[in-house]
Amino acid sequence: PFYPIPFGRRDSLTFANLSTTLANLPSPASNVTVLISVLGPKGLTFTDLVALSGGHTIGRSNCSSFQNRLYNSTTGISMQDSTLDQSFAENLYLTCPTNTTVNTTNLDIRTPNVFDNKYYVDLLKEQTLFTSDQSLYTDTRTRDIVKSFALNQSLFFQQFVLSMLKMGQLDV
């Protein structure tokens, strides 16, 4: 969606360092409780969280960012997450045949190069890479929001704009 960027914000003259970034950006292995504990104090709501996560409708990810859904973190042995569609998981194992594979894959398997609401359809079908994404559908606090965005792309676009504008005003 198109939206105007408000005037008046001054960007920093320095770049965020790794520790600042990691402290403000939840891990892809996070669940909704962790996500909202990081983003809630910034004034972002469950609706904002689900809308902003829709940005995952484009982009790619390294196997290391979702290996926890395919392999045991201690032993490295194959152990599929129960909230992962079987056929989708089989394809991920082809892309990431070991827990140390450095390959990448699309975040959205339906329309990887289009900003749309298919990310939410992926969630309904248990075909997303990150625990943090799939938990938006498995958690009762955010499930209905996911469903509404999966059914109504215009609603998703409208809320994405509102949430992006809100996020853009953080820590001004």
Side-chain angles (χ1 to χ4, degrees):
F2 172 83
Y3 59 97
I5 304 296
F7 292 112
R9 181 180 173 108
R10 290 186 310 181
D11 289 327
S12 175
L13 299 176
T14 59
F15 293 100
N17 60 31
L18 180 61
S19 62
T20 301
T21 302
L22 292 176
N24 289 282
L25 187 63
S27 158
S30 300
N31 61 26
V32 170
T33 299
V34 172
L35 294 172
I36 207 66
S37 73
V38 173
L39 301 175
K42 299 177 185 312
L44 298 175
T45 65
F46 286 114
T47 302
D48 293 322
L49 168 62
V50 176
L52 293 169
S53 295
H56 290 168
T57 190
I58 54 174
R60 295 182 65 79
S61 175
N62 292 311
C63 293
S64 62
S65 295
F66 58 88
Q67 72 169 346
N68 66 305
R69 300 194 74 203
L70 300 173
Y71 298 98
N72 180 295
S73 61
T74 306
T75 64
I77 295 172
S78 174
M79 189 174 87
Q80 181 185 325
D81 182 325
S82 63
T83 63
L84 196 56
D85 174 76
Q86 182 64 40
S87 63
F88 181 65
E90 289 170 8
N91 286 327
L92 290 180
Y93 280 118
L94 293 175
T95 302
C96 307
T98 71
N99 69 331
T100 58
T101 305
V102 294
N103 294 337
T104 64
T105 190
N106 292 316
L107 292 172
D108 176 353
I109 62 168
R110 285 175 172 66
T111 54
N113 299 314
V114 179
F115 193 94
D116 59 16
N117 70 333
K118 298 304 183 266
Y119 159 82
Y120 299 103
V121 175
D122 293 342
L123 288 173
L124 298 178
K125 295 184 178 291
E126 299 181 329
Q127 297 177 337
T128 56
L129 299 180
F130 304 148
T131 301
S132 59
D133 289 334
Q134 195 60 55
S135 72
L136 298 174
Y137 184 63
T138 58
D139 193 296
T140 57
R141 296 171 291 179
T142 50
R143 180 181 296 136
D144 287 341
I145 304 166
V146 169
K147 287 179 183 177
S148 67
F149 291 165
L151 294 171
N152 187 336
Q153 181 168 279
S154 295
L155 177 64
F156 161 55
F157 281 7
Q158 179 184 20
Q159 185 58 54
F160 184 82
V161 166
L162 294 174
S163 297
M164 281 296 290
L165 292 171
K166 187 176 187 180
M167 188 173 68
Q169 295 302 312
L170 296 177
D171 299 327
V172 173

